[in-house]
Amino acid sequence: MAETTKEMKVVFERPHALLPVVTNYCPGCTHGIVNRLVAEVIDELGVEGKTVGIAPVGCSVMAYDFFACDMIEAAHGRAPAVATAVKRVHPDNVVFAYQGDGDLASIGMAETVHAATRGENITVIFINNAIYGMTGGQMAPTSLPNQITQTSPYGRDVSKAGYPVRVCELLSTLDGVAYLERVTVDTPKSVRNAKKAIRKAFDTQIAKKGYSLVEVVSTCPTNWGLTPSEAFAWMRENMLPYYPLGVYKDVVADGYANAAEAALDRAKDCPLVVPSEEGSNS
Amino acid sequence: MKEEIQIVLAGFGGQGVLFAGKVIAYAGLIEEREVSWLPSYGPEMRGGTANCSVTLSDRTIGSPLVVEPDVLIALNQPSYDRFIDAVKPGGIVIADTAMVTSMRERDDVQIIGIPATTMAEEAGLKGLANIILLGKLYGMTEFCDRDTLDAAIDKCVPARKAALADKNKEAIKLGMEA
Amino acid sequence: MCAHVPRCGHYGGEVEDMAEKVLMKGNEALAESAMRAGCRFFFGYPITPQTELAAYMAKRMPYVGGTYLQAESEIAAINMVYGAAAAGARVMTSSSSPGVSLKSEGISYMAGADLPGLIINVQRGGPGLGGIQPSQSDYWQATRAMGHGDFHCIVFAPSTVQEMCDLAYGAFDIADKYRNPVMILADGMLGQMMEPVELPKMIDPKTLPEKDWATTGHGDKREHNVINSLYLTADHLEKLNQARFEKYARVEAEEQRSESYLCDDADIIVVAFGASSRVARSAVNTAREQGIKVGLFRPITLWPFPKVALEETCSHAKAYLSVEMNMGQMIDDVKLVVAGRAPVEFYGRTGGVIPTPNEVLTKIKEMQASLIGKAGE
């Protein structure tokens, strides 16, 4: 009797950089997808042992228990400052901050802008779902005009509450930034694209090209009061026109080696920025 | 040499009162005495009056803020007016008469006026009125050894500005002879 | 050595390991000493009267291979301290009173995550924007409420430039030993004044013991480390806080420091720390010359308050005088120790006014007269 050999092939498994734990994310939440994409990228790059992640305050506050790399829980909004220092202490570590819209674009806006303009070699993963999820659905800095939330019960009135912050557009003006892309994860295709962007952001950091951020336009079925598929539909209909997907800055695609070189070229008419060859500033 | 000498130097910012105070403090340090130097700071320094308290002592110094100085060196009128009444009876006041035109008298302190700013300009030592006044103080009190004073100047003037150190030493001599 | 750093200023380049004393400002001596203790990371934000400290760091750090980073805010600065401490480094920040209030968030997180680090407060007058002259009005903040939650900062109060130097040098060891933030509570006078100082030896941070809890990257050699202060289960958080208070009990037992000057036979004990202790010392000297039996008790640790040493004076002292540059804050701690056995009086100036030795002497004489009056009754 001939032996039959069955070839078993692994087609799907948990990334090593994600721990086998139950997350606190709601059903249909996109955090789970993005956590996984980050972990897959860490696996692919083989950098788990030298990666330090910074978790925010928000729905992903417990992310320090989900990732297998070393993790730090930061105060609300302060992840970029914490990440800055970790990277300064260990410049060869891979350091990422994982932040939501309230954390990154409201209470932590100063830290966000300044880490970016300093050109810190860190990667920020930014989840924009236009609402404060963990505290139960309040207006976020990225909530859309007329969007109803617990603290904008009649819809966000821009005459009183002002306009949403468009993070990629805002950061794209800063010289320290090497790479910015806005993606989403509503379809398998967009998930693959989001992973490419996250990979590129990590590559940018590892090559020490400057600050990198990937904004993931996301959903919050629980606080939006929609099913997961309805939430994606609402997102596509309302959020994507306000937050168009795409690459907002890529210094390498623009023909520069890194953010520093691009910054130098942009300001080439300023003699202080571009010192003369023989001039010394002693 | 007195067991303890407390000095206030005061003038406009830029007249070098902090520097002159530092020279005195370094002289004390070189002779291994207890020393403190306390400047006024903040907006007061910018355009207004600057002053510093210097104490040389043979015992641990308590408050570094000199409230009743043994010596007042005044480089401008507001400083003279502000501190003249604070000087301890029996103390010394040295004023730059090129800057202090109205010297209110006190009969229980020794008040000396020399036109230090004018003297400095005439001797090619512009900006060293502070050190001329310091030389005068040295001539009157000998608060340290003579060599120590020159060594203190060397400590306070950066090595790459050696020429400036020589000018400071000249200014000391000029003050001592005034 | 960094090529584009201009060699400017007095201490721009190498400061040799000299046994010889140098004349330095308190702010500068503290900064140099911290570097010598192996601190290679400084994160700060400009504010008077601590600015020389940051400026000195900016000038010197490149020469010792360290990092000076001017943060966008005090809040960012303290969170950078949090990050660098989490990554295992000796790290510090410095500020003055209003800036320290902003840092209180991060200090609480450091305590909650058991992170060592050094915070300097070169105090100025408050509340609010207050003024920029020397003050001690952040005593309560430093010893009672350095942030939200159940925790303590270990707080040192230097009174000379040499002590600014020595306490900063030792602070990192204490911080590392207990995994707790340490504060040096100085003031504008100590920061700005110059005194002779003997600088300690330079420690190479590479020779310091490794911190196995730090988030440095697990290198595939251990489980992941987590630095965190979030515990959503009340029982869990309670246990951690209780354990942290066992640590604080050890700190209280082992780290109380103080100096007693002429206290042994004193009827009146003046209690004063930092700048005001300098003024008090002058007053005590003059009072002694006038035959008044008075001594000076100077807390060097404000938390833990040196209860044991102060308690010893209670066997003979007939009255206490707390001298402070505020409206009366440390007096609470003095009263807790004296516990009603003797009167505890207060003399202070606030808003940035430095009391004079004569003012304190007048108060001592009043108290002496009252003691004699009582004895005669």
Side-chain angles (χ1 to χ4, degrees), chain A residues 55 84 180 183 200 218 237 256:
Chain A
T84 291
L180 290 173
V183 298
K200 189 164 176 178
S218 302
E237 188 183 344
Y256 301 105

Side-chain angles (χ1 to χ4, degrees), chain A residues 19 48-49 52 61-62 64 67-73 75 78 81-82 84-86 88-90 93 110-111 114 118, chain C residues 41 67 69 72 75-76 79-80 82-84 86-87 89 105 109 214-219 222 224-228 230:
Chain A
L19 293 168
E48 187 191 307
V52 179
V61 67
M62 309 290 288
Y64 55 80
F67 287 102
C69 57
D70 277 1
M71 293 293 296
I72 300 172
E73 170 54 34
R78 318 300 174 215
V82 174
T84 291
V86 173
R88 297 294 184 111
V89 174
H90 300 292
N93 276 10
E111 286 78 4
H114 285 273
R118 283 193 304 267
Chain C
F41 295 89
T67 295
L69 181 59
E72 58 270 29
I75 297 170
N79 282 282
M80 289 172 185
Y82 178 92
E105 174 196 64
Y109 278 69
T215 48
T216 55
H218 61 54
R222 55 164 169 77
H224 78 158
N225 281 341
V226 174
I227 297 296
N228 175 41
L230 177 71

Side-chain angles (χ1 to χ4, degrees), chain C residues 107-259:
Chain C
I107 296 171
S108 169
Y109 278 69
M110 287 174 72
D114 298 307
L115 289 177
L118 180 60
I119 300 110
I120 312 297
N121 183 357
V122 183
Q123 295 170 95
R124 56 188 253 183
L129 206 43
I132 61 167
Q133 296 305 319
S135 168
Q136 298 181 323
S137 50
D138 303 341
Y139 180 92
W140 278 335
Q141 181 192 47
T143 60
R144 301 291 196 277
M146 204 45 263
H148 62 281
D150 264 335
F151 79 96
H152 285 292
C153 241
I154 299 167
V155 185
F156 289 104
S159 72
T160 63
V161 173
Q162 185 67 57
E163 228 174 13
M164 291 279 268
C165 171
D166 296 346
L167 291 175
Y169 197 69
F172 290 98
D173 287 337
I174 299 273
D176 284 345
K177 179 178 174 187
Y178 295 103
R179 284 185 62 181
N180 206 74
V182 171
M183 172 169 282
I184 291 185
L185 195 67
D187 61 72
M189 183 165 112
L190 289 163
Q192 297 288 331
M193 68 187 286
M194 286 202 289
E195 286 183 324
V197 59
E198 201 175 324
L199 294 167
K201 275 204 160 42
M202 181 69 88
I203 293 173
D204 180 350
K206 290 189 196 81
T207 63
L208 293 166
E210 288 220 358
K211 296 168 178 170
D212 58 8
W213 48 263
T215 48
T216 55
H218 61 54
D220 304 316
K221 287 175 191 137
R222 55 164 169 77
E223 296 284 290
H224 78 158
N225 281 341
V226 174
I227 297 296
N228 175 41
S229 64
L230 177 71
Y231 299 93
L232 292 173
T233 312
D235 286 347
H236 190 183
L237 182 54
E238 183 185 49
K239 282 198 176 67
L240 286 168
N241 283 344
Q242 285 166 342
R244 195 168 295 116
F245 271 72
E246 283 167 21
K247 170 174 92 177
Y248 293 144
R250 287 204 306 283
V251 176
E252 285 212 76
E254 291 167 26
E255 305 298 341
Q256 292 183 26
R257 291 193 214 168
S258 61
E259 181 190 43

Side-chain angles (χ1 to χ4, degrees), chain B residues 18 22 25-26 29 33-44 46 59-65 67-68 155-156 160, chain C residues 9-11 20-23 25 48-49 132-134 188-189 192-196 278-279 281-282 285 289 354 356-358:
Chain B
L18 302 187
K22 197 172 157 184
Y26 246 110
L29 170 63
R33 303 184 72 187
E34 299 288 334
V35 171
S36 71
W37 175 98
L38 176 71
S40 57
Y41 63 86
E44 221 185 341
R46 300 184 239 293
R59 63 176 189 181
T60 305
I61 296 168
S63 178
L65 179 68
V67 184
E68 295 174 341
K155 281 276 186 194
C156 294
R160 60 196 162 81
Chain C
H10 200 159
Y11 294 106
E20 191 191 330
K21 282 188 178 181
V22 286
L23 204 56
K25 282 193 169 193
T48 305
I132 61 167
Q133 296 305 319
M189 183 165 112
Q192 297 288 331
M193 68 187 286
M194 286 202 289
E195 286 183 324
R278 301 286 297 260
V279 177
R281 191 183 173 101
S282 292
N285 283 337
E289 283 160 16
I354 300 170
T356 67
N358 263 339

Side-chain angles (χ1 to χ4, degrees), chain C residues 295-327:
Chain C
L296 171 66
F297 181 85
R298 180 172 73 87
I300 297 171
T301 49
L302 301 182
W303 197 90
F305 192 74
K307 294 174 187 168
V308 176
L310 187 60
E311 171 68 35
E312 283 167 13
T313 65
C314 291
S315 61
H316 61 273
K318 299 189 179 90
Y320 289 81
L321 171 63
S322 190
V323 175
E324 305 173 50
M325 278 150 58
N326 56 43
M327 291 300 289

